[in-house]
Amino acid sequence: MASPTSVSARQYLGGESRRTVLPGGLRVVTEHMPGLHSFSIGCFVGTGSRNESPHLHGVSHFLEHVLFKGTRRRGPEEISRAIEELGGDLNAYTGKELTCFHAKVLADHADVAVEVLTDMLSRSLLREADVDAERAVIIDEIAMHHDDPAEAASELVSARLFAGSSLERSVIGSEQSIGALSRDQIHGFWRRHYRGPRIVVAAAGMVDHDRLVQQLLPFDEQLAGSRDTARSRPSRVKYQPGSVLVRSRPLEHTQAVLGFPSPGVFTDGVGSAIDERRYPLNLLATVLGGGMSSRLFVEVRERRGLAYAIDAGEGAYADAGGFTIEWGSLPDRVADITAVVRGALTEVVENGITEEELARAQGQLRGQTALAYETPGARMNRLGTAELAGDTRTVTEVLEHYQQVTVEQVAAVAAEVLTVPPVLGVVGGRVNRSRLSGLVERWI
């Protein structure tokens, strides 16, 4: 078998990052952070809900659950106990484009965390009884998500923003799809997608890169045992502009999400060139709704007292993204807030932002980024997600790009994104739907 291939170390924030590709295709990326006593590790699998066909809706999240239910070596209680008795944490999450299993322990117990995670991902039993038990848990989880109006409003908007692609479907699945999934379907999805070239192992903290690579060689060899037969990426988004989606519930409060289609991470959707528009777009989100001094917070909360909080943000997948503005309020204030938001966005489109606002947003992002990546868990997560996506930028390089953004670039992306008729998702108490439709249909 061939030997692992490594690249030279590079500076990554304050520490040193290293990368090695093992013979079977498994990638290992680490950052050594001197002075720490902890070790954070994650196994990032390049598959999520967008890799599912309609009849497998929710299988990625279902598999995440079932891989905790026992291996040839450990029962479910032994899996969690192996980490928790050391004072550590073990968990996982599923997204639209990836699934991650992660652990945090003292550096002295790094070998245990590595062994437990690799055991789960390669030697789980996926017994029929365990699948049925987790099916009931996930259906309960679906009901919990349905009862959260903020999450329900976000799902409404996401489904419309990403219409026509598998991004429109929720990560968790539906009660019907989860109820129909069989053990064989889940097992087949696991064997097709959990292959060496589709997995990144990332670690940060008190990390010995060379030792970790040696520990992972058997895992890499086992994952390389069969061919990667995963599906290619589904069709692109076909956005349907200008709509109001309302779900009335007997609540005293209402959650609203206003969404616009926006650029994905990469210009071609496959990880070769970063879409430069996302830098000014993120700064625009900061100016509009990035904190208590932002335009929308000052106008909606401080001056008018219409809502407790209002936020703006942008999120992106490989080839598509969404720019959103979110708030919660009394039902009879939703239309008034929508009108205020539309006026604020019109002002930005017509007159742009000031140099002072841009400088404040750049400073805010710089400080927030530095604070966000102080912990090894956060750095591990970024290392893994960036490597999986093919994003080779360091955090320092990202911040340098933000510093180079001009007010003209912010104005250009505002004119491009904010003039498209948006989707408004509203969940909660009864609202004036006809007025909301008029506001959205007669957009900027």
Side-chain angles (χ1 to χ4, degrees):
M1 180 174 286
S3 300
T5 58
S6 298
V7 297
S8 57
R10 65 190 303 211
Q11 289 302 115
Y12 189 91
L13 290 177
E16 180 182 88
S17 70
R18 295 179 61 187
R19 177 180 186 271
T20 298
V21 180
L22 301 188
L26 184 74
R27 287 166 282 170
V28 185
V29 288
T30 67
E31 183 187 358
H32 179 70
M33 301 171 66
L36 296 185
H37 299 287
S38 62
F39 172 84
S40 291
I41 182 170
C43 295
F44 296 80
V45 187
T47 188
S49 60
R50 86 170 302 178
N51 301 93
E52 302 164 358
S53 57
H55 74 283
L56 291 178
H57 181 203
V59 68
S60 301
H61 177 252
F62 205 142
L63 178 59
E64 174 218 309
H65 276 239
V66 178
L67 291 183
F68 280 85
K69 300 298 287 185
T71 71
R72 299 170 194 168
R73 294 190 57 187
R74 297 179 176 89
E77 297 84 2
E78 294 171 297
I79 289 175
S80 56
R81 186 186 305 135
I83 299 297
E84 291 176 354
E85 69 183 6
L86 303 174
D89 292 320
L90 177 67
N91 214 327
Y93 64 87
T94 306
K96 290 184 184 287
E97 294 185 321
L98 64 86
T99 306
C100 175
F101 301 80
H102 55 95
K104 180 179 181 180
V105 294
L106 291 173
D108 291 344
H109 305 309
D111 292 359
V112 177
V114 174
E115 202 280 324
V116 169
L117 285 173
T118 56
D119 187 37
M120 289 170 56
L121 267 65
S122 62
R123 292 187 288 271
S124 284
L125 298 175
L126 271 68
R127 292 167 293 215
E128 191 81 46
D130 295 330
V131 169
D132 290 339
E134 283 307 301
R135 190 191 316 278
V137 171
I138 295 170
I139 289 175
D140 184 71
E141 190 178 355
I142 291 170
M144 178 179 67
H145 284 263
H146 177 77
D147 286 347
D148 182 341
E151 188 151 351
S154 293
E155 288 288 353
L156 285 175
V157 172
S158 180
R160 188 60 59 91
L161 285 180
F162 304 124
S165 82
S166 52
L167 286 172
E168 70 179 336
R169 295 193 292 271
S170 66
V171 171
I172 197 171
S174 67
E175 185 174 348
Q176 293 73 27
S177 68
I178 296 302
L181 284 172
S182 69
R183 185 265 179 193
D184 288 344
Q185 287 175 310
I186 298 168
H187 185 275
F189 189 86
W190 177 38
R191 288 309 186 191
R192 286 195 305 275
H193 290 266
Y194 281 53
R195 311 269 34 100
R198 298 175 66 85
I199 298 179
V200 171
V201 177
M206 187 56 65
V207 180
D208 183 332
H209 181 88
D210 294 328
R211 179 175 178 80
L212 179 60
V213 166
Q214 290 301 312
Q215 285 180 278
L216 290 170
L217 283 171
F219 181 55
D220 173 69
E221 187 173 359
Q222 186 167 8
L223 293 176
S226 62
R227 184 170 58 92
D228 181 357
T229 58
R231 284 171 163 266
S232 59
R233 176 154 286 160
S235 59
R236 294 174 68 88
V237 170
K238 300 175 182 178
Y239 175 63
Q240 302 173 11
S243 55
V244 176
L245 309 172
V246 177
R247 299 291 184 271
S248 296
R249 296 182 182 174
L251 300 173
E252 296 184 8
H253 209 249
T254 299
Q255 292 289 329
V257 177
L258 190 70
F260 302 82
S262 63
V265 176
F266 302 106
T267 56
D268 56 4
V270 296
S272 59
I274 299 294
D275 195 317
E276 298 289 327
R277 293 174 295 174
R278 293 194 62 243
Y279 298 113
L281 188 63
N282 205 339
L283 288 164
L284 175 63
T286 303
V287 170
L288 285 172
M292 294 172 64
S293 60
S294 64
R295 285 195 183 191
L296 289 174
F297 191 95
V298 169
E299 191 64 34
V300 172
R301 161 71 186 265
E302 302 296 352
R303 292 179 181 164
R304 301 173 186 257
L306 292 173
Y308 181 78
I310 184 168
D311 303 293
E314 67 91 21
Y317 304 103
D319 56 353
F323 185 93
T324 57
I325 298 168
E326 305 179 21
W327 69 88
S329 70
L330 294 174
D332 60 3
R333 296 179 180 178
V334 173
D336 291 337
I337 295 171
T338 304
V340 172
V341 170
R342 188 177 74 166
L345 301 190
T346 301
E347 171 66 21
V348 167
V349 169
E350 293 178 350
N351 300 311
I353 66 171
T354 66
E355 293 283 359
E356 182 182 357
E357 285 179 313
L358 176 60
R360 285 202 306 266
Q362 289 168 328
Q364 186 174 341
L365 281 177
R366 185 168 57 251
Q368 288 176 340
T369 301
L371 292 172
Y373 291 116
E374 278 197 331
T375 67
R379 297 200 193 188
M380 172 273 291
N381 195 68
R382 190 190 187 276
L383 279 171
T385 55
E387 173 66 32
L388 198 59
D391 181 358
T392 61
R393 300 170 299 168
T394 66
V395 173
T396 300
E397 290 166 345
V398 172
L399 293 177
E400 288 173 353
H401 279 287
Y402 281 122
Q403 287 302 117
Q404 295 166 8
V405 172
T406 66
V407 291
E408 290 78 15
Q409 290 173 320
V410 175
V413 78
E416 177 185 351
V417 172
L418 301 182
T419 55
V420 175
V423 175
L424 177 62
V426 181
V427 177
R430 190 173 298 277
V431 296
N432 187 335
R433 183 167 186 162
S434 61
R435 186 183 172 201
L436 290 173
S437 296
L439 288 166
V440 170
E441 291 167 3
R442 296 190 302 273
W443 200 248
I444 300 172

